[in-house]
């Protein structure tokens, strides 16, 4: 069992002591790095008086020396425990010197200071700094950091730290040193250092006040050509943040470093962002369009943290969404401005509906601001990030863009340099708007996905239309009963000719505010029975229930002026048919597509050239993950079979249209990462995927030709996956071998090569994955490789993972047990598919539950894995 106690938000107390400044000196060595820290400590006047100072420190940290005001502390003046160092009797203020020794090479958890392919780097969020030295490792202790790095000059010519470089020099033994000073107080989780043999792409940015900022992005020499897109994204983000939020960068230099071994996507350390290579390297030959967009989004996200996370940070880890939810919302708005706002919104909602809603319905469900945790790394969740962003978006919708901006200005000005709470953020919005947002704060304290049940009534004589809305929220682990939420419901009303009624203030969309368990809204002057367009732009993260007929959904798909609702109408129409076909499949009945459904798709295909981005969205069936999330009981085999049948039927009946559209959207003008070209490639490759399910030699030739002639990874990879997941086994093996031969020295491309095989739905999936575990390109220590193979198989290949004999469940449990000792964070995150065991039929439930129990029975689990498994079994 885990020895770690449960931490509760209600037990928060301010730190007993504050650290005004800390000076660190690192003498870097692979197995014995010496860390000398000098802390200026004083009692916190806002805390209870105590003479004991408790510092965090991981059991792997060796305590070499400790001094208080220059004098060595006797052994009986302090106590060393597994996770703490306690000084028993300290004065009001003092200088504390500590020397520790750590082993970066042995640090497979990738927290604190570790080695990534021979390069030193750090990851200190959330509690990694305690793996470096003894310190109050909590976000509300903010200090000015001075860091000196010492290393062999020939092996580690680049030495980077937070802030600005102030001094450098050389030592007689071939080592060199650099001192960095960050003038802005920060918590330890934002500390960073990097030492390695790296190359740099450098540029300049002139801020709105005329200051010159040096921009540097570091990577290995072989990857230098893959940094241009990240640099462009960074400059765009800096300009956007000035224009939209009035936030200017505050240091002389801004740095990004790409590392291959990284548990997360990226980290916003002050002035020195450390990125997973997958989130910063991009080149047309090796990166798909989705990869380009991810790089742009993550670069912007980490930059935006400079204010929403660094200058104003979290008081405690329960407030994590204070920085992450707000910053995700900011990067979503940035991406919408850079590309198609509708496509961006569909992508955001897709994550909410398939993954976050499932999280809300599972054993790890928690509010956006959790009330308790055992291991904080388990709460870097979609609820904190994506639902947290949706909560901020609702504030933006309710208050309007101008008032929201004033609230953000007040928040930054009021709390600059402070560690604060979600209540402080909402209070700034309340103060500028003059509105009482007390009820709105329930979004931070109540878990679960609200359900809106909508009914309507039209009275022709009075020309009055009424909408009745009932809201409810299911029970979750923290509470059985939920109070009503305050949420925005954006509504439009459509006429029979497809045009929208003009509603309040001359607009065709009206914002309704729900605050009660049941409310009725009245629209006067409606001269014909309208069709409601509900929850436009997905104005709240809820499940909507309204009695649309199939004909009404088809009408919305054709006529709704709200792009998101057009797409959603198509999804709901398809989902209804999926569910009917699943019932037929389970009863052994023959499957068929209604002519009306095929005609709707034919109509979209004909209009596709007018808006390829929207067409690509509309012509994509609901994913297996979304179908599963909406199912009362998940039948993975039936879901896969029915969705495949629908794709085959649409491909067969509309073959000529798919082929014509594929040819129309070819391009000979060369690759660009523009929104228009990305849309064209998206639609064209969707057409290819439909054609390939027909398993026609002529369409195979098209895919092979595209694979061979593609000048970009988007088109080549689309061709590869369409063949690899087809029945053309010899051709699939040939293309996979050719792809491997071409790209085996590109680590990120090999992640895709592993993933395409891990997600192959054909029989024998587990055997193929087990063979790939022995392949030279797979590295069992690298989180990217683990996610690309084990994670992709267990989370994206439902038909094979959920094999009737339970072999997929045993496979995952085997690797959880292995990974827990190596990298607990990754092990815990891989557990997600097993945690949802209650959503399946009894036979699968028993098999999944047995593997969870097997993990629990091992004992001596990390806090990360113990928390997830114990909560899953107790649900």
């Amino acid at each position: 069992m885990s020895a770690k106690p449960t931490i509760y938000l209600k037990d928060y107390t301010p730190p007993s002591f504050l650290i005004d400044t800390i000076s660190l000196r690192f003498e870097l060595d692979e197995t014995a790095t010496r860390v000398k820290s000098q802390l200026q400590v004083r009692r916190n006047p806002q805390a209870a008086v105590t003479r004991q100072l408790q510092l965090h420190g991981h059991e792997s940290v060796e305590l070499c020396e400790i001094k208080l005001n220059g004098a060595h502390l006797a052994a009986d003046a302090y106590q060393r425990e597994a996770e703490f160092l306690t000084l028993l009797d300290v004065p009001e203020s003092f200088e504390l010197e500590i020397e520790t020794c750590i082993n970066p090479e042995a640090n497979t958890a990738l927290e604190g200071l570790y080695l990534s392919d021979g390069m030193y780097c750090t990851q200190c969020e959330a509690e990694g700094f305690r793996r470096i030295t003894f310190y109050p490792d909590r976000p509300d202790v903010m200090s000015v950091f001075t860091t000196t790095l010492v290393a062999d000059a020939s092996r580690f010519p680049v030495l980077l730290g937070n802030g600005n470089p102030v001094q450098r020099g050389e030592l007689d033994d071939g080592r060199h040193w650099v001192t960095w000073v960050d003038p802005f107080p920060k918590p330890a989780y934002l500390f960073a250092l990097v030492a390695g043999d790296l190359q740099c792409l450098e540029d300049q940015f002139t801020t709105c006040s005329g200051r010159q900022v040096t921009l540097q992005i570091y990577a290995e020499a072989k990857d230098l050509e893959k940094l241009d897109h990240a640099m462009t994204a960074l400059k765009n983000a800096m300009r956007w943040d000035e224009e939209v939020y009035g936030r200017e960068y505050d240091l002389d230099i801004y740095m990004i470093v790409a590392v291959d071994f990284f548990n997360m996507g990226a980290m916003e350390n002050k002035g020195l962002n450390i990125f997973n290579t997958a989130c910063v390297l991009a080149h047309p030959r090796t990166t798909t369009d989705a990869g380009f967009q991810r790089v742009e989004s993550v670069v912007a996200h980490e930059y935006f943290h400079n204010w929403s996370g660094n200058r104003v940070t979290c008081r405690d880890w329960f407030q994590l969404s204070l920085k992450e939810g707000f910053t995700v919302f900011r990067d979503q708005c940035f991406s919408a401005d850079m590309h198609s706002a509708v496509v961006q919104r569909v992508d955001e909602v897709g994550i909410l509906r398939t993954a976050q809603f499932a999280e809300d319905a599972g054993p790890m469900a928690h509010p956006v601001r959790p009330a308790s945790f055992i291991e904080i790394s388990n709460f870097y969740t979609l609820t904190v990030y994506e639902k947290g962003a949706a909560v901020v978006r609702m504030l933006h919708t309710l208050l309007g863009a101008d008032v929201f901006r004033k609230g953000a200005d007040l928040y930054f000005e009021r709390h600059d340099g402070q560690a604060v709470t979600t209540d402080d953020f909402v209070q700034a919005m309340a103060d500028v708007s003059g509105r009482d947002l007390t009820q709105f704060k329930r979004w931070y304290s109540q878990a679960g996905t609200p359900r809106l049940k909508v009914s309507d009534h039209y009275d022709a004589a009075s020309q009055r239309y009424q909408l009745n809305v009932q809201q409810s929220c299911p029970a979750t682990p923290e509470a059985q009963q939920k109070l009503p939420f305050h949420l925005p419901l954006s509504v439009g009303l459509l006429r029979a000719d497809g045009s929208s009624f003009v509603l309040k203030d001359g607009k065709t969309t009206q914002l309704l505010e729900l605050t009660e368990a049941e409310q009725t809204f009245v629209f006067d002057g409606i001269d014909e029975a309208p069709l409601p367009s509900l929850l436009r732009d997905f104005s709240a993260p809820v499940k909507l229930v309204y009695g649309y007929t199939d004909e009404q959904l088809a009408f919305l798909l054709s006529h709704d002026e709200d792009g998101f609702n057009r797409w959603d109408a198509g999804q709901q129409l398809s989902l209804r048919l999926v569910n009917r076909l699943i019932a037929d499949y389970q009863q052994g009945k023959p499957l068929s597509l209604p002519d009306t459904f095929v005609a709707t798709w034919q109509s979209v295909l004909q209009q596709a050239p007018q808006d390829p981005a929207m067409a690509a969205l509309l012509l994509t069936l609901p994913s297996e993950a979304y179908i599963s999330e909406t199912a009362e009981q998940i039948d993975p085999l039936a879901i896969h079979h029915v969705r495949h049948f629908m794709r085959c039927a649409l491909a067969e009946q509309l073959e000529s249209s798919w082929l014509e559209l594929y040819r129309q959207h070819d391009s000979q003008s060369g690759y660009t990462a523009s929104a228009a070209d990305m849309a064209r490639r998206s639609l064209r490759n969707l057409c290819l995927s439909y054609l390939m399910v027909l398993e026609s030699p002529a369409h195979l030739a098209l895919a092979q030709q595209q694979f061979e002639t593609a000048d970009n990874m988007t088109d080549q990879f689309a061709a590869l996956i369409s063949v690899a997941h087809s029945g053309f086994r010899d051709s699939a093996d040939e293309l996979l071998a050719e792809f491997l031969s071409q790209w085996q020295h590109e680590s990120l491309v090999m992640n895709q090569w592993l993933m395409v095989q891990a997600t192959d739905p054909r029989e024998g999936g587990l055997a193929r994955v087990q063979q790939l575990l022995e392949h030279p390109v797979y590295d069992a220590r690298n989180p990217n490789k683990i996610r690309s193979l084990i994670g992709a198989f267990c989370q994206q290949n439902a038909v094979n993972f959920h094999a009737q004999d339970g072999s997929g469940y045993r496979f995952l449990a085997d690797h959880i047990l292995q990974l827990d000792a190596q990298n607990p964070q990754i092990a815990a995150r891989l557990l997600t598919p097993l945690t949802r065991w209650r959503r399946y039929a009894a036979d699968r439930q028993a098999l999944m539950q047995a593997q969870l129990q097997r993990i629990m029975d091992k004992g001596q689990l990390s806090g990360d894995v113990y928390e997830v498994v114990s909560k899953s079994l107790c649900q």
Side-chain angles (χ1 to χ4, degrees):
M1 290 179 61
S2 166
K4 296 190 71 171
T6 300
I7 309 299
Y8 293 94
L9 171 59
K10 63 182 177 61
D11 293 336
Y12 170 82
T13 56
S16 299
F17 291 86
L18 302 176
I19 314 296
D20 291 321
T21 64
I22 174 173
S23 295
L24 292 159
R25 179 181 176 89
F26 287 79
E27 297 192 2
L28 296 169
D29 181 272
E30 282 91 335
T31 59
T33 289
R34 311 289 288 196
V35 184
K36 298 179 180 179
S37 62
Q38 186 178 56
L39 288 66
Q40 299 300 321
V41 187
R42 63 182 171 89
R43 191 179 307 282
N44 183 1
Q46 305 301 318
V49 174
T50 177
R51 296 189 66 83
Q52 291 191 353
L53 171 64
Q54 188 177 73
L55 305 174
H56 297 101
H58 191 263
E59 59 187 0
S60 62
V61 177
E62 177 188 350
L63 177 61
C64 302
E65 186 178 54
I66 182 168
K67 295 179 182 179
L68 194 151
N69 288 334
H72 289 277
L73 279 186
D76 62 356
Y78 62 88
Q79 292 178 347
R80 172 72 196 274
E81 301 170 273
E83 296 293 330
F84 297 101
L85 174 67
T86 304
L87 280 62
L88 301 177
D89 189 12
V90 298
E92 292 285 317
S93 62
F94 54 97
E95 180 180 271
L96 182 63
E97 297 174 81
I98 301 175
E99 182 174 347
T100 60
C101 184
I102 55 178
N103 184 350
E105 189 174 76
N107 185 358
T108 61
L110 311 187
E111 297 178 84
L113 178 66
Y114 65 94
L115 290 171
S116 172
D117 279 344
M119 173 175 64
Y120 291 98
C121 62
T122 55
Q123 172 55 33
C124 292
E125 187 178 355
E127 297 177 340
F129 194 72
R130 63 191 62 187
R131 290 175 176 265
I132 294 172
T133 188
F134 295 94
Y135 190 81
D137 190 8
R138 46 189 288 173
D140 56 353
V141 175
M142 302 177 71
S143 179
V144 173
F145 279 68
T146 298
T147 306
T148 299
L149 307 177
V150 184
D152 182 277
S154 61
R155 296 177 59 205
F156 306 101
V158 174
L159 301 176
L160 307 177
N162 300 103
N164 299 316
V166 295
Q167 285 184 299
R168 63 181 68 238
E170 298 180 357
L171 302 177
D172 294 338
D173 58 2
R175 295 186 299 165
H176 68 144
W177 57 272
V178 180
T179 297
W180 294 80
V181 174
D182 184 355
F184 297 98
K186 66 173 179 285
Y189 84 84
L190 289 170
F191 171 80
L193 72 81
V194 169
D197 186 2
L198 300 166
Q199 297 295 309
C200 172
L201 175 66
E202 185 170 307
D203 207 335
Q204 301 289 320
F205 182 83
T206 303
T207 69
C208 55
S209 67
R211 292 177 50 249
Q212 285 290 115
V213 178
T214 298
L215 309 179
Q216 295 179 334
I217 306 181
Y218 289 87
E220 294 182 48
K222 67 181 180 63
D223 293 323
L224 195 60
E225 67 173 358
K226 301 168 189 167
L227 301 178
D228 289 338
H229 180 65
M231 184 64 80
T232 299
L234 175 58
K235 290 190 291 184
N236 287 340
M238 295 177 79
R239 182 65 63 207
W240 186 90
D241 211 20
E242 289 182 347
E243 294 173 352
V244 178
Y245 280 89
R247 298 296 109 191
E248 183 176 338
Y249 187 63
D250 48 14
L251 292 169
D252 299 332
I253 186 170
Y254 186 90
M255 298 169 287
I256 293 173
V257 182
V259 302
D260 198 33
F261 285 65
F262 205 67
N263 284 340
M264 301 183 180
M267 179 60 208
E268 72 268 18
N269 318 294
K270 183 69 177 181
L272 177 58
N273 289 186
I274 298 179
F275 273 53
N276 190 316
T277 50
C279 295
V280 69
L281 304 181
H283 189 278
R285 292 293 296 152
T286 57
T287 311
T288 63
D289 288 343
F292 268 86
Q293 290 176 310
R294 185 184 186 201
V295 167
E296 180 182 63
S297 173
V298 177
V299 167
H301 179 96
E302 305 308 332
Y303 174 75
F304 296 152
H305 265 313
N306 188 61
W307 277 93
S308 50
N310 296 2
R311 288 286 288 263
V312 183
T313 195
C314 303
R315 186 196 71 178
D316 53 72
W317 288 121
F318 298 99
Q319 318 297 329
L320 180 58
S321 195
L322 176 78
K323 72 182 185 78
E324 295 301 348
F326 188 19
T327 304
V328 169
F329 170 70
R330 277 152 51 76
D331 83 55
Q332 289 174 347
C333 294
F334 167 78
S335 295
D337 285 348
M338 295 297 107
H339 302 283
S340 164
V342 174
V343 172
Q344 175 66 24
R345 192 67 185 128
V346 167
D347 288 344
E348 294 159 8
V349 175
I351 295 171
L352 278 169
R353 282 178 164 175
T354 58
Q356 194 282 316
F357 283 9
E359 190 170 272
D360 260 348
M364 291 296 290
H366 60 274
V368 172
R369 184 187 60 212
S372 66
F373 61 77
I374 294 174
E375 182 56 62
I376 183 54
S377 62
N378 284 334
F379 287 83
Y380 282 74
T381 61
L382 292 165
T383 299
V384 165
Y385 281 69
E386 304 299 330
K387 187 174 181 178
V391 171
V392 176
R393 182 182 292 273
M394 285 190 290
L395 274 175
H396 187 276
T397 301
L398 288 167
L399 302 182
D402 292 342
V403 174
F404 183 88
R405 164 63 193 274
K406 291 176 182 176
D409 287 346
L410 177 61
Y411 169 72
F412 289 131
E413 292 161 10
R414 179 182 283 174
H415 300 296
D416 190 8
Q418 297 178 14
V420 298
T421 69
T422 55
D423 285 341
D424 293 313
F425 178 76
V426 177
Q427 190 60 51
M429 297 295 169
D431 288 346
V432 298
S433 66
R435 300 190 59 176
D436 182 355
L437 296 174
T438 303
Q439 182 180 355
F440 183 83
K441 290 194 291 185
R442 290 174 187 166
W443 282 102
Y444 287 100
S445 59
Q446 294 187 153
T449 304
R451 181 175 180 267
L452 301 186
K453 185 177 181 180
V454 181
S455 59
D456 58 357
H457 175 72
Y458 176 65
D459 188 303
S462 63
Q463 296 191 349
R464 171 169 288 184
Y465 177 71
Q466 293 183 341
L467 277 178
N468 180 265
V469 186
Q470 297 174 321
Q471 64 160 303
S472 60
C473 189
T476 51
E478 98 292 351
Q480 292 295 306
Q481 301 296 323
K482 306 297 175 70
L483 295 171
F485 291 89
H486 179 188
L487 63 91
L489 176 62
S490 293
V491 174
L493 302 178
L494 272 64
R495 294 179 176 275
D497 64 2
S499 63
S500 293
F501 280 92
V502 176
L503 303 174
K504 189 176 179 181
D505 300 326
K507 299 178 180 178
T508 55
T509 297
Q510 183 171 335
L511 180 67
L512 310 179
E513 294 194 31
L514 271 63
T515 56
E516 305 295 334
E518 184 170 3
Q519 286 174 260
T520 297
F521 301 91
V522 177
F523 301 81
D524 288 315
I526 306 300
D527 58 13
E528 64 174 277
L531 178 63
S533 170
L534 302 169
L535 202 66
R536 282 187 161 178
D537 202 39
F538 203 67
S539 55
V542 300
K543 293 183 177 180
L544 179 71
V545 180
Y546 175 81
Y548 287 116
T549 65
D550 288 357
E551 292 74 20
Q552 287 173 329
L553 287 173
F555 187 84
L556 290 172
L557 173 61
S558 297
H559 299 290
D560 202 330
E561 67 181 39
D562 184 82
F564 175 84
N565 273 16
R566 278 192 67 205
W567 168 81
D568 190 48
Q571 290 287 289
Q572 300 312 311
L573 192 62
S574 297
L575 189 61
R576 287 187 179 185
L577 179 56
V578 166
N579 290 331
R580 290 197 291 268
L581 291 175
I582 287 175
D584 289 344
Y585 174 80
Q586 292 170 332
Q587 296 169 27
K589 296 179 180 179
L591 305 183
S592 63
L593 285 190
D595 291 342
T596 53
F597 185 82
V598 177
T600 299
W601 280 62
Q602 177 69 69
S603 175
V604 175
L605 277 165
Q606 291 171 347
Q607 300 173 36
Q610 300 169 23
D611 189 347
M614 176 59 78
L617 293 176
L618 296 177
L619 294 167
T620 301
L621 287 169
S623 67
E624 290 186 23
Y626 181 45
I627 298 168
S628 298
E629 166 54 23
T630 61
E632 204 167 300
Q633 184 179 93
I634 301 171
D635 184 342
L637 298 183
I639 289 171
H640 174 76
H641 184 90
V642 164
R643 189 176 186 276
H644 182 68
F645 163 77
M646 292 177 68
R647 294 184 74 233
C648 290
L650 288 168
E652 182 178 4
Q653 296 189 51
L654 303 174
E655 181 178 8
S656 60
S657 297
W658 293 116
L659 186 58
E660 180 183 0
L661 203 57
Y662 175 83
R663 289 171 173 159
Q664 283 178 358
H665 287 77
D666 192 6
S667 175
Q668 307 299 326
S669 59
Y671 178 90
T672 73
S674 68
D677 269 10
M678 286 185 177
R680 176 189 59 77
R681 283 188 292 272
S682 176
L683 181 57
R684 185 170 187 261
N685 288 322
L686 180 69
C687 293
L688 180 64
S689 73
Y690 274 101
L691 291 169
M692 278 301 297
V693 300
L694 298 176
E695 301 194 355
S696 158
H699 301 329
L700 172 64
L702 277 183
Q704 291 171 322
Q705 181 182 28
Q706 178 170 312
F707 179 91
E708 297 294 344
T709 61
D711 65 352
N712 63 86
M713 181 54 68
T714 302
D715 287 341
Q716 187 179 42
F717 187 71
L720 175 68
I721 198 168
S722 70
V723 176
H725 289 187
S726 75
F728 294 106
R729 291 318 316 144
D730 291 342
S731 298
D733 291 342
E734 289 172 7
L735 258 60
L736 286 166
E738 187 174 342
F739 194 81
L740 172 65
S741 175
Q742 185 176 359
W743 300 114
Q744 59 188 309
H745 301 300
E746 292 284 350
S747 179
L748 294 180
V749 179
M750 287 296 93
N751 294 342
Q752 295 173 277
W753 184 77
L754 292 170
M755 185 273 289
V756 72
Q757 295 173 86
T759 57
D760 185 348
R762 293 175 304 109
E763 289 185 12
L766 179 56
R768 288 190 293 273
V769 169
Q770 289 171 324
Q771 288 180 340
L772 289 167
L773 289 170
E774 306 301 321
H775 198 281
V777 304
Y778 182 74
D779 185 341
R781 302 165 302 145
N782 187 312
N784 286 344
K785 296 291 185 288
I786 296 168
R787 284 185 285 256
S788 297
L789 187 58
I790 300 172
F793 173 75
C794 298
Q795 297 173 15
Q796 301 176 50
N797 193 344
V799 70
N800 276 302
F801 174 67
H802 291 286
Q804 205 69 46
D805 62 358
S807 55
Y809 310 148
R810 288 194 299 274
F811 169 79
L812 178 55
D814 288 343
H815 285 277
I816 296 299
L817 291 169
Q818 292 173 23
L819 280 167
D820 191 37
Q822 170 187 314
N823 191 326
Q825 280 191 32
I826 298 300
R829 288 169 189 167
L830 285 177
L831 266 166
T832 300
L834 289 178
T835 67
R836 296 170 182 165
W837 59 274
R838 290 184 184 271
R839 299 289 310 281
Y840 296 86
D843 54 347
R844 286 197 174 89
Q845 284 192 17
L847 292 168
M848 297 169 84
Q849 192 176 17
Q851 294 306 316
L852 286 167
Q853 190 63 53
R854 176 183 159 216
I855 296 169
M856 179 63 82
D857 290 344
K858 181 203 172 193
Q860 299 303 312
L861 296 172
S862 69
D864 307 63
V865 168
Y866 172 81
E867 180 171 27
V868 176
V869 174
S870 61
K871 288 182 176 179
S872 299
L873 288 171
C874 291
Q875 185 190 15

